[in-house]
Amino acid sequence: MKSLAATIHNFNAGPSILPQEVFEEASRAILDFNESGLSILEIGHRTPLFEAVMKEAISLTKELMNLDSDHEVLFLHGGASTQFMQVPMNLLNDNEVAAYTETDVWGTKGIKEAKLFGHVEVVASSRDKNFTYLPKGFHVPATVKYLHLTTNNTIYGTQWQDLTPFYKYNVPLVADMSSDFLSRVIDFNKYDLIFAGAQKNAGAAGVNVVVVNKNILGKVDRKIPTMMDYRQHIENGSMLNTPPVFAIYVCMLTLRWLKNKGGVPAIEKLNNAKAKLFYDTLDSLPVFKGTVVKEDRSKMNGVFVMQDPALEKEFMEICKKEGMYGVKGHRSVGGFRVSMYNALPIESLELLTDLMKDFANKKG
Ligand SMILES: *Cc1c(COP(=O)(O)O)cnc(C)c1O
């Protein structure tokens, strides 16, 4: 395992790299969890052993996000995609309107689900230019029930660098933060609902972190199935049924790692350094071409193509040979996508950018 970790650099978009310490501790817990003689995979979820994990995961999330007492933290099943339906089911009446931004296919999917429960007004879309920029200065009617945004657009590689314009609309904010969760300092209390599939930046696949302001709940007329009702999950501490025990455990370990690193401000600094290294290199080499507007570039997912598409195969093969894993672009964009999540060491990017420079020199 050691030698593999030394030669593979994981730029995958999700599930993605987690800290090596987390892999090691999670492995130990599979064999013997906290010296209980039991595997984490076989313990009951209503035992002091697991209750301590859940408690720590919740309190670490609150601490790292600086949440006030109105905001509750849930660990739910179903991935971020389930939130596309759960959000409107809990917040939007049939005759009401929710505002959506469409800046990636994830926004599009959210819109599709919301339409099942009420009306949707798409207040901003960058579909006209294949999601290569973020629309600014758009109008949001004050009467909408909430405004939905995607903070980081995983597939196309854009990210709202300045979120403050969203705070001026004076409507409840719902944010899909799946792919930049806890990667930068944000005033999380400005949001009434935040969700993130854990597998991008916070842990293993199989769990969703949901942060909800409890004051916005209980205002829709429809009957909500128990498992879809945020209030029920709050009341039962995310234990309405068997929670994804192992995924929550891995999430807790990742949160612990983040806290030990110095929390969100410290990881943001590192993420900024990684993104700068990557984009400075990209911009200095004319063989490569970034696909999105510079000011909207994502610090999590760097997307690029080759000026001459015929060269892409050759560079891909070099990446493969040198242990650069997961750099292939999403099928809807092509080219390359380099994901630089919290756990990606800057050394991996140093090696990748060296490969880019070597390649450019050879072709230049
Ligand atoms: C990956 C991703 C999703 C979907 O997550 P699932 O857990 O697979 O449902 C939703 N939104 C964004 C921004 C993502 O990156």
Side-chain angles (χ1 to χ4, degrees):
M1 201 169 113
K2 267 264 140 49
S3 65
L4 197 69
T7 52
I8 299 281
H9 300 274
N10 186 358
F11 298 93
N12 210 41
S16 33
I17 186 170
L18 292 173
Q20 187 62 28
E21 297 96 297
V22 170
F23 290 141
E24 284 165 13
E25 186 144 8
S27 312
R28 282 196 294 274
I30 287 184
L31 297 174
D32 181 6
F33 177 55
N34 279 0
E35 294 170 0
S36 62
L38 292 162
S39 166
I40 179 90
L41 301 179
E42 64 181 336
I43 60 171
H45 56 292
R46 296 187 201 282
T47 56
L49 275 174
F50 183 68
E51 277 164 5
V53 171
M54 183 66 102
K55 204 169 147 219
E56 187 173 348
I58 292 171
S59 73
L60 281 169
T61 308
K62 286 186 174 163
E63 183 184 339
L64 289 163
M65 297 177 83
N66 272 319
L67 294 176
D68 63 30
S69 57
D70 287 334
H71 285 77
E72 300 278 352
V73 175
L74 302 171
F75 288 89
L76 304 182
H77 295 273
S81 301
T82 302
Q83 293 307 305
F84 293 151
M85 107 175 118
Q86 197 164 355
V87 164
M89 193 184 275
N90 281 265
L91 303 185
L92 187 65
N93 275 315
D94 294 359
N95 57 348
E96 291 172 334
V97 181
Y100 273 72
T101 53
E102 188 190 32
T103 50
D104 199 328
V105 300
W106 301 116
T108 312
K109 289 183 189 202
I111 290 165
K112 177 171 174 240
E113 298 306 298
K115 283 180 176 167
L116 299 171
F117 300 97
H119 299 283
V120 170
E121 183 172 337
V122 179
V123 290
S125 174
S126 51
R127 173 179 287 284
D128 59 340
K129 292 191 179 147
N130 202 29
F131 303 118
T132 51
Y133 71 103
L134 294 173
K136 317 264 160 49
F138 47 86
H139 175 71
V140 178
T143 50
V144 298
K145 210 57 196 297
Y146 62 85
L147 169 62
H148 181 282
L149 66 139
T150 312
T151 50
N152 181 73
N153 298 288
T154 328
I155 291 174
Y156 294 87
T158 60
Q159 181 182 33
W160 294 101
Q161 295 308 330
D162 180 12
L163 288 159
T164 54
F166 287 102
Y167 307 155
K168 294 179 189 134
Y169 292 115
N170 272 320
V171 297
L173 288 178
V174 173
D176 176 356
M177 296 196 184
S178 293
S179 53
D180 64 352
F181 187 59
L182 299 180
S183 71
R184 55 175 168 160
V185 176
I186 289 177
D187 186 353
F188 295 105
N189 291 309
K190 296 266 190 221
Y191 299 79
D192 286 291
L193 202 144
I194 293 167
F195 60 90
Q199 71 273 20
K200 309 271 165 64
N201 225 1
V207 68
N208 241 325
V209 186
V210 176
V211 173
V212 58
N213 178 351
K214 55 186 178 224
N215 301 318
I216 58 160
L217 301 175
K219 293 179 183 167
V220 287
D221 305 327
R222 77 173 56 84
K223 295 191 172 83
I224 301 173
T226 310
M227 284 300 290
M228 284 290 113
D229 191 336
Y230 295 121
R231 287 171 308 169
Q232 299 274 354
H233 286 289
I234 292 170
E235 246 168 68
N236 291 278
S238 298
M239 296 249 227
L240 264 179
N241 70 331
T242 315
V245 168
F246 188 64
I248 293 170
Y249 177 64
V250 174
C251 210
M252 187 279 282
L253 292 178
T254 310
L255 294 165
R256 227 190 233 172
W257 168 85
L258 182 54
K259 183 181 168 178
N260 290 337
K261 276 250 158 192
V264 180
I267 209 76
E268 177 175 33
K269 239 170 125 185
L270 186 63
N271 288 335
N272 284 343
K274 289 188 292 188
K276 181 164 170 22
L277 171 64
F278 171 72
Y279 287 115
D280 282 353
T281 307
L282 183 70
D283 290 339
S284 70
L285 307 171
V287 219
F288 299 101
K289 190 172 78 174
T291 51
V292 305
V293 169
K294 278 190 189 175
E295 63 171 19
D296 297 328
R297 282 171 164 176
S298 166
K299 291 175 179 166
M300 295 283 103
N301 313 97
V303 178
F304 64 98
V305 295
M306 298 275 189
Q307 270 321 337
D308 175 5
L311 295 178
E312 286 182 3
K313 199 165 158 245
E314 191 182 338
F315 187 62
M316 191 61 83
E317 262 151 31
I318 292 171
C319 286
K320 218 173 184 173
K321 198 172 129 256
E322 299 294 329
M324 305 290 145
Y325 174 78
V327 295
K328 192 170 167 36
H330 189 269
R331 58 190 180 277
S332 56
V333 186
F336 301 83
R337 173 173 49 174
V338 171
S339 297
M340 310 171 264
Y341 296 126
N342 286 355
L344 183 84
I346 195 160
E347 290 75 20
S348 292
L349 270 171
E350 285 164 357
L351 289 166
L352 179 75
T353 49
D354 283 348
L355 289 184
M356 291 168 75
K357 284 179 215 155
D358 288 349
F359 188 77
N361 278 338
K362 220 167 52 189
K363 299 295 160 187

